[in-house]
Amino acid sequence: MLLCGLNPISGKRLGKDMGKVSSEVKKMTQEQILAFEKSGEISFFGHCLKLDDIKVVRQFKRPENVSEKEIDAAGDGDVLVILDLRADQSLIEAGVAREVVNRIQKLRKIAQLEPTDPVDVYYKSVGDNKNTLQDILKSQVVICEESHSVHDMSFVIYIARSSPMLSTDILPYVSGNSDHVEALRVYLLSRSISRLKSEFQARNGMITVDFIEGYPPIVLQLGKHVFLSAGDSYLARQS
């Protein structure tokens, strides 16, 4: 709400009318105050008062049935800041997201990882079916795992070392030769993920493997024959 008071400096100019002018200023309605701030002047008893003559103070009046824990405000009279402290769904979701990221960073420290070490992060909601996560993690080297609870949600976070994997239907592509598949798997696991990714990017998503002794050259396409993580492979199967 808005309150008004006469600036004492204006008293000399108002003379004997100062008392009754001051009284009228204090009686100004919210509509009158807003109109005064917009026009920059108002008249009482033949005296034209400007913005310098009247001090407008902003005060917060909390709505009924609303506590300080829900809405609070503070100001210096000229500026009033009102905070709605009630948490809605978007705030809860943002808080959970920040908390999960924080837990992941702490888990990286527990695993003694460097900031530049690439890893894949997986999670499992406690009580959900475990088959999907087990399918993803069975081919990964899990570095660290930890249980957490945030906003009544319980889950487990897994940090796994990033490792490429072949498509589950790669066998027909290599003429049914399972030994060739194993040789390709060993080759991919020996490669740096970052360099392998760079090679795929530089060659339009395809690389040629032509130096495995005893096997013919083969072109591998990223996202079809090979994936840079088990998570990528799983998402591709779901699409």
Side-chain angles (χ1 to χ4, degrees):
M1 62 181 298
L2 301 174
L3 300 175
C4 281
L6 187 64
N7 192 329
I9 300 178
S10 304
K12 295 181 180 180
R13 180 168 61 83
L14 297 174
K16 62 180 181 179
D17 290 334
M18 177 181 176
K20 57 183 182 181
V21 170
S22 177
S23 178
E24 290 300 316
V25 168
K26 292 178 180 179
K27 294 178 183 178
M28 289 174 64
T29 64
Q30 302 294 297
E31 291 75 14
Q32 286 178 312
I33 296 173
L34 291 173
F36 165 67
E37 287 188 316
K38 184 176 181 180
S39 65
E41 62 181 31
I42 191 171
S43 296
F44 291 113
F45 304 106
H47 298 283
C48 182
L49 304 178
K50 303 291 186 179
L51 292 174
D52 291 339
D53 297 315
I54 298 177
K55 181 174 179 59
V56 178
V57 178
R58 285 165 169 77
Q59 291 185 346
F60 176 65
K61 184 178 180 181
R62 188 174 292 103
E64 295 182 4
N65 302 322
V66 176
S67 68
E68 293 182 3
K69 294 182 178 180
E70 295 176 305
I71 296 180
D72 202 1
D76 59 3
D78 293 324
V79 178
L80 180 65
V81 178
I82 302 174
L83 296 178
D84 187 342
L85 305 176
R86 293 168 293 189
D88 58 18
Q89 188 60 32
S90 63
L91 288 176
I92 293 174
E93 291 174 357
V96 170
R98 286 194 299 270
E99 190 62 29
V100 170
V101 170
N102 181 51
R103 302 293 176 90
I104 292 173
Q105 295 301 335
K106 289 182 178 179
L107 204 57
R108 286 180 62 98
K109 291 183 179 179
I110 293 174
Q112 298 182 344
L113 295 173
E114 296 294 332
T116 55
D117 289 340
V119 294
D120 295 323
V121 178
Y122 304 96
Y123 75 93
K124 171 178 70 70
S125 296
V126 173
D128 287 352
N129 190 298
K130 300 180 181 180
N131 293 336
T132 297
L133 186 68
Q134 289 175 346
D135 289 343
I136 293 177
L137 292 178
K138 65 182 180 181
S139 62
Q140 303 291 284
V141 179
V142 177
I143 303 172
C144 196
E145 66 178 84
E146 193 171 70
S147 299
H148 299 275
S149 180
V150 179
H151 287 283
D152 299 326
M153 292 180 288
S154 298
F155 54 91
V156 181
I157 295 177
Y158 299 83
I159 290 183
R161 193 174 303 283
S162 296
S163 58
M165 66 177 297
L166 292 168
S167 170
T168 54
D169 56 0
I170 189 69
L171 194 59
Y173 186 59
V174 293
S175 303
N177 191 331
S178 59
D179 290 337
H180 194 182
V181 173
E182 180 61 19
L184 288 171
R185 188 185 70 82
V186 172
Y187 162 71
L188 291 172
L189 290 175
S190 70
R191 296 295 311 278
S192 161
I193 284 289
S194 58
R195 291 185 179 180
L196 193 59
K197 183 178 181 180
S198 297
E199 287 185 21
F200 275 116
Q201 291 176 338
R203 300 172 185 175
N204 297 319
M206 292 182 287
I207 62 171
T208 300
V209 181
D210 56 2
F211 43 78
I212 299 180
E213 186 177 354
Y215 299 104
I218 186 171
V219 176
L220 297 178
Q221 181 177 343
L222 184 63
K224 181 178 181 180
H225 305 123
V226 63
F227 301 90
L228 297 181
S229 72
D232 290 344
S233 174
Y234 172 77
L235 292 175
R237 294 199 304 271
Q238 301 305 306
S239 61

